[in-house]
Amino acid sequence: MTAILKQNILNHITLSKKEIENFCDLFHNKMVLKKHFLLREGEVCKFEGFVTKGLFRVYHIDNNGFEQVLYFAQENWWIADIDSFTNEKPSQLYIQALEDSEVLLISKKDKEFAFNNIPKIEKLFRIMTQKTHIALQRRMIDNLSKTANQRYIDFIEKYPKLFQRLTNVQIAAYLGISHEFLSKIRRKIAIKK
């Protein structure tokens, strides 16, 4: 289970064998069945997770009852409600498995232990935070400046394997459009081909 985590870490920073073993030992494995939740709105997020198998969606339900998908997390992706985890406040998000999944979880206490005892781990999380911030900034700009049609095409091109694992309803919730509108976009694209 930890082999994929170790490779992900080594893609960002260099650690000795002992450092990486000590860090990975702080995680525990959790299996989450399809449609089950890792986190629900109102709960405090007590983990940061690394997906080793399966697929999750991180979403919010707005005041009108519509799901707004912030992101999907597949194998080799990190997952959490970072606001709830960092500030120890109730989450506004749901994290749900879309497939039978496995995730490695680290608690806030163990993450702080790693920061204090394996200083390079702070660099790892700084790099990951920067990459996440960049991705969110780009997504916000795309949502403000591109049409739904352009965002759909970008999504397919950027995540071709992920796209195949999702329903149209899930993709529509990510793009911020209705399922019906996504169907119209797909028909237009099919006619052009």
Side-chain angles (χ1 to χ4, degrees), residues 29-41:
N29 188 49
K30 182 171 180 73
M31 297 182 72
V32 185
L33 297 176
K34 181 178 180 176
K35 296 187 179 181
H36 287 225
F37 290 87
L38 194 55
L39 179 72
R40 292 178 188 266
E41 181 180 30

Side-chain angles (χ1 to χ4, degrees), residues 1-7 24 28-31 50-53 101-104:
M1 278 294 131
T2 60
I4 188 173
L5 174 61
K6 289 176 184 176
Q7 187 56 56
C24 289
H28 71 276
N29 188 49
K30 182 171 180 73
M31 297 182 72
F50 180 78
V51 182
T52 57
K53 178 185 173 193
S101 302
E102 293 182 27
V103 61
L104 293 169

Side-chain angles (χ1 to χ4, degrees), residues 56-94:
F56 291 88
R57 68 179 173 149
V58 179
Y59 68 98
H60 171 72
I61 298 178
D62 70 15
N63 292 335
N64 296 319
F66 295 110
E67 291 180 8
Q68 300 168 329
V69 175
L70 276 67
Y71 64 95
F72 299 101
Q74 59 187 336
E75 297 85 0
N76 206 32
W77 284 40
W78 290 84
I79 191 167
D81 177 341
I82 200 67
D83 182 14
S84 177
F85 178 79
T86 302
N87 298 311
E88 298 178 350
K89 64 180 224 172
S91 178
Q92 296 180 43
L93 303 176
Y94 294 86

Side-chain angles (χ1 to χ4, degrees), residues 92-132:
Q92 296 180 43
L93 303 176
Y94 294 86
I95 300 178
Q96 183 184 36
L98 297 177
E99 302 171 354
D100 288 346
S101 302
E102 293 182 27
V103 61
L104 293 169
L105 302 175
I106 188 168
S107 69
K108 187 171 185 174
K109 178 183 162 196
D110 286 339
K111 184 179 173 187
E112 289 297 327
F113 176 84
F115 286 168
N116 292 325
N117 293 282
I118 313 168
K120 293 177 192 171
I121 296 301
E122 277 197 302
K123 180 179 181 184
L124 169 69
F125 281 92
R126 177 182 51 81
I127 290 168
M128 292 189 318
T129 299
Q130 288 171 334
K131 288 183 176 187
T132 300

Side-chain angles (χ1 to χ4, degrees), residues 9-32:
I9 293 164
L10 294 174
N11 287 340
H12 295 96
I13 62 170
T14 303
L15 292 174
S16 71
K17 187 172 184 175
K18 183 175 173 43
E19 288 171 325
I20 201 162
E21 290 296 333
N22 288 343
F23 181 56
C24 289
D25 285 346
L26 298 173
F27 288 79
H28 71 276
N29 188 49
K30 182 171 180 73
M31 297 182 72
V32 185

